[in-house]
Amino acid sequence: MVRIADVARMANVSTATVSRVISNTGTVKKETAEKVLEAIKKLNYQPNMLARQLRRSETETILVVVPDITNTFFSAVLRGIESVAIENGYQVLLGDARNNVDTETSYLTILGQKKADGLILLTARTDQKILEELSHDYPVVLACEYYEGTQLPTVSIDNVSSARKATEYLISLKHKRIGHISGPLNVVVGRDRCKGFHQAMAKHGLSVDPSLVQEGEFSFESGFNLMMKFLSLEEPPTAIFAGNDEMAMGAVKAAKSKGVRVPEDLSVVGFDDIKFASIFEPALTTIAQPTFDMGQKAMHLLLKIINDEELEKNQFILSDKLIVRNSCKELTIDG
Amino acid sequence: MVRIADVARMANVSTATVSRVISNTGTVKKETAEKVLEAIKKLNYQPNMLARQLRRSETETILVVVPDITNTFFSAVLRGIESVAIENGYQVLLGDARNNVDTETSYLTILGQKKADGLILLTARTDQKILEELSHDYPVVLACEYYEGTQLPTVSIDNVSSARKATEYLISLKHKRIGHISGPLNVVVGRDRCKGFHQAMAKHGLSVDPSLVQEGEFSFESGFNLMMKFLSLEEPPTAIFAGNDEMAMGAVKAAKSKGVRVPEDLSVVGFDDIKFASIFEPALTTIAQPTFDMGQKAMHLLLKIINDEELEKNQFILSDKLIVRNSCKELTIDG
DNA sequence: ATTTTTAATGTAATCGATTACAATAAATGT
DNA sequence: ACATTTATTGTAATCGATTACATTAAAAAT
């Protein structure tokens, strides 16, 4: 292992001078710097980052915890985070919570251990208190998911209004018997999208049949199963708002398996606009979240916190968009 | 920041003793250990990992470089890696090469900087020499992708024979005019799958029309575009073997857009068996790779190298499986 | 009771950089 | 020519743990 002392010896200078050359302080004479650079090259020297990080007490690494890395929605957000991180000399440590709260929480210790300078959470299922305390001591930013009534820096869309928008789209297509396959209600975005659904229904004077609201778990399978349940109802819904695209696809699949055509017999709208939403048949009408932008914004925020800069505000709501494709159709009397 | 010295002071012992308690050497008197533990709890002390790592020169972190994190094939492999990593007290640093060789290569410096104890590459596009040299100094394992004729520890499937298998399946369905949408030929798995395709054709005495072999780039779009090209041919293929599922889906979409039915008019087989392959319509016939197992195996190998254990061998070929679904059909005279 | 062995703890070196402070050399001013 | 300022370099402390080695205390052996 080549150390800074080896370089210093070869270049006939002190380690301090070598260090100055490396960190480009501009206080080293040109010829000296050249000697040092040459020695570095000759020895193929690379600074030991652990030593530097210990001394400077900074790692230039940030931790990102995602609920489920196999969901392309999150990997798209990750892309946004990574782009800004790399641009600013930061590396990304990934924690995949695998949809498990305890796994999620266990990643938080990494901050205390000084293995990362900051944290971006794409999932907010850990106890709110714990996280708020953590954020007193370390830079933390939430993205996509969030807590209610918190001062934690957050970037997300307004899930309630998006869900309302999605539901109202179905209402505008004359649907009245609209079902909702929600995400898990112990995660905010599941709750908020459910809330938006109810708001839209109420706003248009439509009653919600409790049996038409079922709690899924953001997976294809849960969407499939819950749709099956709906279909076995005496009076099945004519439209479904699903809490995310995977569940929407599951619902469509279930319908098809029962000979129910989408969109002719059943309209479905999803949420997230994942990569596959447009490939799916029928192409999914869904709410597109600005994944890349959210990632970028979250990382920019985190950088500000790390650098002790003032935040203009704590909650950033980015705008989503209803993408109309082919999974919905206006309701006609005979169906 | 609470340091080990603070704990030592409070417990009225030396830092050495505290350290011994933390690392559980078993050489500390029970009552002393209790005092220390109490102090740790009271101060909410967490060891500074940077300091420990510097001293022990190990990070308990491994680096995984993937070519494209938004491809669920790779996130599935990552899951396997992570599971073994966590089990063994290792953390995973993720590098997303975003399909760019330079980005991929740039991640390799992390090893020299001592920020990770080892490396698993899910992409092998960096210059082979560079990597082989790197592997003399640091633990490196390749998974999924690999180099030809190398001693680098590798875990993968036999892409040539899998591709042969896939192609022979089409041949068994009486197809003769079979096209291949290959992956990029500058990546091994692209080349090997192409090779397997040719081998199968040759073995059954079928000639390969050069215009029926086109190089894609593993993306939906490239699959779509190249299929369009095939369809505009005077005599289009009756079957397609695509280098991965995303391209296969692109091909199917292109066919459908031209009124060509799959599988009735065109048979398509993919590769990888990603999450959506079974959801796609028609459900994709494809080669399933043992993603989770490959990830686990790769991490197990890496651990052995890190712990200086002997490797029974360097190349591990795991078995794949042809999953027959609904995207292929026997060729009939009239189509 | 004294020596030997073992157990428990402490002191200080160490990991490999960075950087405050000190020292020297060169440049500028008078 | 000497004082002052500025540029360049070096010395040694520091980051916060771990651990080799030294020391002391307790237990076992004679």
Side-chain angles (χ1 to χ4, degrees):
Chain A
M1 220 244 152
V2 186
R3 274 144 37 261
I4 197 170
D6 304 321
V7 176
R9 200 173 311 117
M10 175 175 254
N12 237 296
V13 295
S14 72
T15 61
T17 300
V18 176
S19 179
R20 287 185 191 107
V21 172
I22 292 167
S23 9
N24 235 310
T25 57
T27 57
V28 178
K29 201 169 27 163
K30 213 170 150 203
E31 299 108 74
T32 318
E34 272 162 15
K35 269 197 309 185
V36 172
L37 256 10
E38 200 180 327
I40 288 178
K41 197 173 223 169
K42 213 170 261 169
L43 292 169
N44 193 19
Y45 167 73
Q46 265 196 296
N48 183 318
M49 286 300 160
L50 290 178
R52 169 183 296 177
Q53 289 168 6
L54 172 59
R55 179 59 223 246
R56 293 202 176 148
S57 61
E58 62 179 28
T59 62
E60 316 247 274
T61 299
I62 64 124
L63 174 68
V64 178
V65 179
V66 300
D68 176 2
I69 190 62
T70 67
N71 183 328
T72 54
F73 171 72
F74 295 109
S75 45
V77 179
L78 189 62
R79 275 276 166 91
I81 295 174
E82 247 190 346
S83 73
V84 177
I86 288 172
E87 218 168 76
N88 289 274
Y90 279 79
Q91 278 159 354
V92 175
L93 189 67
L94 176 73
D96 176 16
R98 291 175 286 175
N99 281 317
N100 178 342
V101 187
D102 290 334
T103 312
E104 176 184 322
T105 310
S106 74
Y107 281 114
L108 305 183
T109 56
I110 290 181
L111 282 178
Q113 294 170 170
K114 307 288 166 201
K115 293 184 77 165
D117 297 344
L119 169 68
I120 297 179
L121 279 169
L122 268 39
T123 165
R125 306 175 193 182
T126 295
D127 184 70
Q128 182 167 351
K129 282 243 178 61
I130 294 182
L131 211 64
E132 282 176 342
E133 266 170 40
L134 193 73
S135 86
H136 289 146
D137 300 332
Y138 305 100
V140 174
V141 169
L142 300 178
C144 307
E145 293 189 13
Y146 40 86
Y147 292 103
E148 282 158 300
T150 184
Q151 277 310 101
L152 285 166
T154 303
V155 15
S156 71
I157 58 164
D158 178 347
N159 282 278
V160 179
S161 94
S162 314
R164 216 164 41 214
K165 195 193 299 177
T167 311
E168 286 188 317
Y169 173 67
L170 290 172
I171 295 173
S172 78
L173 294 177
K174 310 268 162 57
H175 289 278
K176 291 188 163 35
R177 225 178 137 61
I178 304 175
H180 177 44
I181 300 177
S182 79
L185 295 177
N186 62 339
V187 350
V188 228
V189 297
R191 272 199 308 279
D192 277 359
R193 291 171 194 173
C194 189
K195 195 187 288 174
F197 167 75
H198 280 96
Q199 285 183 359
M201 295 295 275
K203 184 174 161 196
H204 292 84
L206 296 171
S207 65
V208 175
D209 180 344
S211 64
L212 288 191
V213 178
Q214 298 284 339
E215 180 177 356
E217 38 195 30
F218 281 150
S219 67
F220 176 86
E221 288 73 20
S222 67
F224 187 95
N225 296 335
L226 292 173
M227 188 67 222
M228 284 307 219
K229 215 161 160 182
F230 284 156
L231 289 169
S232 64
L233 249 38
E234 204 152 321
E235 205 185 341
T238 64
I240 292 287
F241 165 48
N244 77 351
D245 286 345
E246 291 201 25
M247 293 195 299
M249 292 181 200
V252 171
K253 276 283 189 181
K256 285 188 181 177
S257 79
K258 285 285 190 182
V260 175
R261 295 164 305 163
V262 180
E264 291 79 2
D265 308 328
L266 178 75
S267 289
V268 175
V269 6
F271 207 112
D272 285 350
D273 193 27
I274 59 175
K275 205 174 176 182
F276 199 64
S278 59
I279 300 176
F280 188 73
E281 291 183 7
L284 224 51
T285 291
T286 187
I287 297 283
Q289 296 200 51
T291 49
F292 196 81
D293 292 349
M294 285 200 295
Q296 289 199 310
K297 184 75 196 171
M299 186 64 208
H300 278 306
L301 272 187
L302 190 68
L303 283 173
K304 281 199 177 174
I305 302 175
I306 288 174
N307 297 325
D308 277 321
E309 289 172 41
E310 199 67 44
L311 260 46
E312 58 265 49
K313 52 179 179 173
N314 284 318
Q315 321 289 134
F316 291 82
I317 308 291
L318 272 48
S319 53
D320 56 284
K321 203 172 159 196
L322 176 73
I323 309 281
V324 175
R325 288 198 272 249
N326 314 320
S327 61
C328 300
K329 193 162 174 290
E330 186 158 342
L331 185 69
T332 50
I333 310 301
D334 52 84
Chain B
M1 219 244 152
V2 185
R3 272 143 39 258
I4 197 170
D6 302 321
V7 176
R9 200 171 313 118
M10 175 174 251
N12 236 297
V13 296
S14 72
T15 61
T17 301
V18 176
S19 179
R20 288 185 191 107
V21 172
I22 292 168
S23 13
N24 236 310
T25 57
T27 57
V28 178
K29 203 174 17 166
K30 211 171 151 204
E31 299 108 75
T32 318
E34 271 162 15
K35 268 196 308 181
V36 171
L37 256 10
E38 201 180 326
I40 287 178
K41 197 173 224 171
K42 214 170 261 169
L43 292 170
N44 194 20
Y45 167 73
Q46 265 197 297
N48 181 317
M49 286 298 159
L50 291 178
R52 170 183 297 178
Q53 290 167 4
L54 172 61
R55 179 60 223 245
R56 300 228 251 235
S57 63
E58 62 179 28
T59 62
E60 315 247 274
T61 300
I62 63 125
L63 174 66
V64 178
V65 179
V66 300
D68 177 2
I69 190 61
T70 67
N71 184 329
T72 54
F73 171 73
F74 295 109
S75 46
V77 179
L78 189 63
R79 275 275 165 91
I81 295 174
E82 245 189 347
S83 73
V84 177
I86 287 172
E87 217 168 75
N88 289 275
Y90 279 80
Q91 278 159 353
V92 175
L93 189 67
L94 175 72
D96 176 16
R98 291 175 286 173
N99 282 317
N100 177 343
V101 187
D102 290 334
T103 312
E104 176 184 323
T105 310
S106 74
Y107 280 113
L108 305 182
T109 57
I110 290 181
L111 283 177
Q113 294 170 169
K114 307 290 168 202
K115 292 184 78 164
D117 297 345
L119 169 67
I120 297 180
L121 278 170
L122 268 38
T123 165
R125 306 176 194 181
T126 295
D127 183 71
Q128 182 166 351
K129 282 243 176 61
I130 295 182
L131 212 64
E132 281 176 343
E133 266 171 41
L134 192 74
S135 87
H136 289 148
D137 301 331
Y138 305 100
V140 174
V141 169
L142 299 179
C144 308
E145 293 189 14
Y146 40 85
Y147 292 103
E148 282 158 300
T150 183
Q151 277 311 98
L152 285 167
T154 303
V155 15
S156 71
I157 58 163
D158 179 346
N159 282 278
V160 179
S161 94
S162 314
R164 214 163 43 214
K165 195 193 301 178
T167 310
E168 286 187 316
Y169 174 67
L170 290 172
I171 295 173
S172 78
L173 295 177
K174 308 268 165 55
H175 289 279
K176 291 186 163 39
R177 218 172 144 64
I178 305 174
H180 177 44
I181 299 177
S182 79
L185 295 177
N186 62 338
V187 348
V188 228
V189 297
R191 273 201 304 281
D192 277 1
R193 289 170 196 174
C194 189
K195 195 188 287 176
F197 168 74
H198 279 98
Q199 286 182 359
M201 295 296 274
K203 184 174 162 197
H204 292 84
L206 296 171
S207 66
V208 176
D209 181 342
S211 64
L212 288 190
V213 177
Q214 298 285 340
E215 180 177 357
E217 40 196 30
F218 281 150
S219 67
F220 177 85
E221 288 72 22
S222 66
F224 188 94
N225 295 335
L226 293 173
M227 188 66 221
M228 283 307 219
K229 215 161 160 182
F230 285 156
L231 291 170
S232 64
L233 250 38
E234 204 152 325
E235 207 184 340
T238 65
I240 292 288
F241 165 47
N244 78 350
D245 287 346
E246 291 201 26
M247 292 195 299
M249 292 182 198
V252 171
K253 275 284 188 179
K256 285 188 181 178
S257 80
K258 286 284 189 184
V260 174
R261 295 164 306 165
V262 180
E264 291 80 1
D265 307 328
L266 178 75
S267 289
V268 175
V269 6
F271 208 112
D272 285 350
D273 193 27
I274 59 175
K275 208 174 176 184
F276 279 118
S278 60
I279 299 175
F280 189 73
E281 292 183 7
L284 225 51
T285 291
T286 188
I287 298 283
Q289 296 200 51
T291 49
F292 196 80
D293 292 349
M294 286 199 295
Q296 289 200 309
K297 183 77 197 169
M299 186 66 208
H300 279 306
L301 271 187
L302 191 68
L303 283 173
K304 281 200 177 173
I305 302 176
I306 289 174
N307 298 325
D308 276 321
E309 289 172 40
E310 200 67 43
L311 258 47
E312 59 265 49
K313 53 179 179 171
N314 284 318
Q315 322 287 136
F316 291 83
I317 307 291
L318 271 48
S319 54
D320 56 284
K321 204 172 157 196
L322 176 72
I323 308 281
V324 175
R325 288 198 274 248
N326 313 320
S327 61
C328 300
K329 195 164 174 288
E330 186 159 342
L331 184 69
T332 51
I333 309 299
D334 52 85

